[in-house]
Amino acid sequence: MNKENLKILILGSGGREHTLAKVCAESPLVQEVLIAPGNGGMEQEFRTLSIPVEENEKIVQTAKAESIDLVVVGPEVPLCNGVVDELNKAGILAYGPDSQCARLEGSKAFSKDFLARHNIPTAEYGNFSEVEPAIQYLQSCSLPVVVKASGLAAGKGVIICNSKEEAETEVKQMLSGNSFGISGSEVVIEEFLEGEEASLHLICSGEEYVTLPMSQDHKKVGEGDTGPNTGGMGAYAPTSLVSEEMLAAYEKSIVRPTLAGLREEGMNFCGTLYIGLMLTKTGPKVLEFNVRFGDPETQVILPLVDQDLVPILLASAKGESLPQKLKIKNKFAMVVVLASKGYPGSYPKGETIAAPDSLPSSTLLIHAGTAANETGGVVSCAGRVLGAVGTGDSLNEAQTAAYKLCEAVEFPSKYYRKDIGHREFSRL
Ligand code: AMP
Ligand code: GLY
């Protein structure tokens, strides 16, 4: 039996963490949800603590001082920094993988070698920490070719190169530390894959796992998937791109070999494993592993879960058994990201946000890049400002609800894509 009156601390400050906080707060097991550091919008709903997610020692001290029962880690940086290892050493339960397992995201070179060792389908690749062999390898690659900084680069470390010269320049820039600092000290050169992308999220407890609904993100800033890559401009779930049969096949060829392979190598993966898949003509291939929930995917997959998520997070954190399946609502969800015009380039900050006082039950307004001003108002402070989430009995209904909310929220530089879900709508 799980204890009641739990105190949960969420680490992070984006839309993913706001969604996690809302979901945890709904649990009858939970007395209080705290967030560190949180953001301006979250402050109006939850108690926030101004602790940077990079400071393991302060996080451990605070979790002790606040008698936190479970820390839920949102972003990859603290996971790779070993915050879960430190919390566990101090006897505090934490949801998320330890630093050994977090290398699946923290080092693309490690994850590619892992995939190769376990015969899990992925793009052909080479890992390099010296310029000469990298350039030699490039000679054998066809175009376009993908050059990646191996370390964490906040989603910016992947460059698709259309010429060998461009690829050579990128490799040199990365290896010299000029483009991504230490994260570029090793590079992955990879075959370019064609197909549609899908996000597969699992909650894991060692070799046991439950799947969450398949979702699709929209990484490009512009309509029709044009312009530069962003952290994600919108998402929807479930996607008809992956049928139940296909998912069962992916579990066999990708999920189970991954968790079993980790275990074989002495790693017990607990927490979220988010597998970025490219569905190519020759089958699904792993584009990347993430060791945390996707943002903005979280905003659409968690509202579809039809049971208390807290016991599942607790079981994963303890390495205990998980149910075989999660109960999922027979519904659809869409999130449209309200960004500051100019993002992912430069954009204005500090703009006052006006939002409706009450929202219909089919919507959620998720705060991502907001701050509180001196007068208690909420202002924009990042590129991705808010997430407008709509749910409904069809994707159309979810879309209508999400876009109505987009219109009801105002700030001067508000920008959003009008075509979230376009691939799904053209399939249907
Ligand atoms: P990653 O951080 O490795 O997921 O890469 C970020 C994005 O770059 C992916 O979501 C894809 O859109 C794109 N990408 C990464 N690797 C490849 C590849 N081998 N072929 C085509 N696109 C890729
Ligand atoms: N939505 C992409 C990511 O969270 O990495």
Side-chain angles (χ1 to χ4, degrees), residues 131-158:
V131 174
E132 276 315 311
I135 289 176
Q136 212 160 23
Y137 180 80
L138 276 174
Q139 301 322 310
S140 66
C141 297
S142 42
L143 293 172
V145 65
V146 186
V147 178
K148 301 183 175 185
S150 176
L152 293 181
K156 298 188 182 76
V158 175

Side-chain angles (χ1 to χ4, degrees), residues 65-144:
E66 291 279 352
S67 306
I68 297 295
D69 297 293
L70 175 69
V71 178
V72 178
V73 187
E76 61 278 17
V77 168
L79 292 167
C80 293
N81 280 347
V83 74
V84 171
D85 317 41
E86 295 306 318
L87 285 162
N88 287 344
K89 263 189 234 157
I92 301 159
L93 266 185
Y95 176 78
D98 63 22
S99 56
Q100 288 293 305
C101 291
R103 287 180 298 166
L104 280 185
E105 177 163 3
S107 166
K108 289 187 194 292
F110 171 82
S111 73
K112 292 296 290 188
D113 285 342
F114 174 85
L115 288 161
R117 275 197 298 281
H118 297 281
N119 291 315
I120 300 166
T122 189
E124 292 294 326
Y125 76 103
N127 294 337
F128 303 94
S129 35
E130 306 285 343
V131 174
E132 276 315 311
I135 289 176
Q136 212 160 23
Y137 180 80
L138 276 174
Q139 301 322 310
S140 66
C141 297
S142 42
L143 293 172

Side-chain angles (χ1 to χ4, degrees), residues 30-63:
V30 172
Q31 182 201 344
E32 190 182 13
V33 174
L34 290 86
I35 312 176
N39 64 34
M42 296 179 196
E43 280 172 32
Q44 300 190 327
E45 214 177 319
F46 299 97
R47 186 148 69 90
T48 60
L49 307 167
S50 61
I51 308 166
V53 293
E54 295 82 7
E55 295 191 16
N56 287 355
E57 215 179 291
K58 270 198 185 152
I59 293 166
V60 171
Q61 279 168 8
T62 308

Side-chain angles (χ1 to χ4, degrees), residues 54-364:
E54 295 82 7
E55 295 191 16
N56 287 355
E57 215 179 291
K58 270 198 185 152
I59 293 166
V60 171
Q61 279 168 8
T62 308
K64 274 191 190 159
E66 291 279 352
S67 306
I68 297 295
D69 297 293
L70 175 69
V71 178
V72 178
V73 187
E76 61 278 17
V77 168
L79 292 167
C80 293
N81 280 347
V83 74
V84 171
D85 317 41
E86 295 306 318
L87 285 162
N88 287 344
K89 263 189 234 157
I92 301 159
L93 266 185
Y95 176 78
D98 63 22
S99 56
Q100 288 293 305
C101 291
R103 287 180 298 166
L104 280 185
E105 177 163 3
S107 166
K108 289 187 194 292
F110 171 82
S111 73
K112 292 296 290 188
D113 285 342
F114 174 85
L115 288 161
R117 275 197 298 281
H118 297 281
N119 291 315
I120 300 166
T122 189
E124 292 294 326
Y125 76 103
N127 294 337
F128 303 94
S129 35
E130 306 285 343
V131 174
E132 276 315 311
I135 289 176
Q136 212 160 23
Y137 180 80
L138 276 174
Q139 301 322 310
S140 66
C141 297
S142 42
L143 293 172
V145 65
V146 186
V147 178
K148 301 183 175 185
S150 176
L152 293 181
K156 298 188 182 76
V158 175
I159 318 282
I160 295 166
C161 302
N162 289 305
S163 72
K164 297 271 163 86
E165 294 70 41
E166 190 189 349
E168 281 192 28
T169 308
E170 288 299 344
V171 164
K172 286 180 186 160
Q173 285 287 323
M174 286 185 192
L175 288 179
S176 65
N178 286 343
S179 44
F180 298 102
I182 188 90
S183 289
S185 60
E186 192 168 12
V187 298
V188 178
I189 300 176
E190 196 175 270
E191 168 198 14
F192 177 78
L193 298 176
E194 271 179 287
E196 265 198 70
E197 282 181 54
S199 304
L200 170 56
H201 284 76
L202 316 159
I203 295 178
C204 307
S205 185
E207 285 188 65
E208 289 188 25
Y209 64 90
V210 287
T211 56
L212 286 153
M214 290 292 306
S215 58
Q216 203 170 33
D217 188 8
H218 297 62
K219 289 209 164 86
K220 303 274 186 190
V221 75
E223 274 144 34
D225 300 317
T226 53
N229 260 329
T230 68
M233 294 300 292
Y236 67 90
T239 171
S240 69
L241 184 61
V242 178
S243 65
E244 273 190 36
E245 294 71 33
M246 286 161 80
L247 179 58
Y250 301 174
E251 289 180 51
K252 194 165 165 214
S253 63
I254 294 171
V255 175
R256 288 199 280 273
T258 297
L259 296 174
L262 286 166
R263 188 74 154 237
E264 245 175 70
E265 296 188 20
M267 287 169 276
N268 195 40
F269 194 102
C270 292
T272 308
L273 183 62
Y274 151 18
I275 308 179
L277 294 172
M278 185 71 95
L279 310 184
T280 73
K281 280 197 195 120
T282 56
K285 300 205 168 158
V286 175
L287 271 181
E288 61 166 351
F289 286 121
N290 298 294
V291 297
R292 36 89 196 163
F293 285 107
D295 191 343
E297 289 96 326
T298 307
Q299 288 83 311
V300 290
I301 57 186
L302 295 190
L304 295 179
V305 175
D306 203 11
Q307 67 182 77
D308 187 356
L309 202 63
V310 169
I312 310 291
L313 301 180
L314 280 170
S316 164
K318 292 177 189 163
E320 289 177 355
S321 212
L322 295 174
Q324 283 219 313
K325 256 181 184 295
L326 283 184
K327 268 175 78 182
I328 302 297
K329 294 175 190 163
N330 194 13
K331 286 199 173 272
F332 293 80
M334 180 180 289
V335 59
V336 180
V337 170
L338 300 176
S340 305
K341 199 163 177 61
Y343 170 75
S346 58
Y347 49 81
K349 290 183 188 172
E351 293 184 347
T352 300
I353 298 164
D357 287 331
S358 67
L359 299 176
S361 62
S362 60
T363 62
L364 285 173

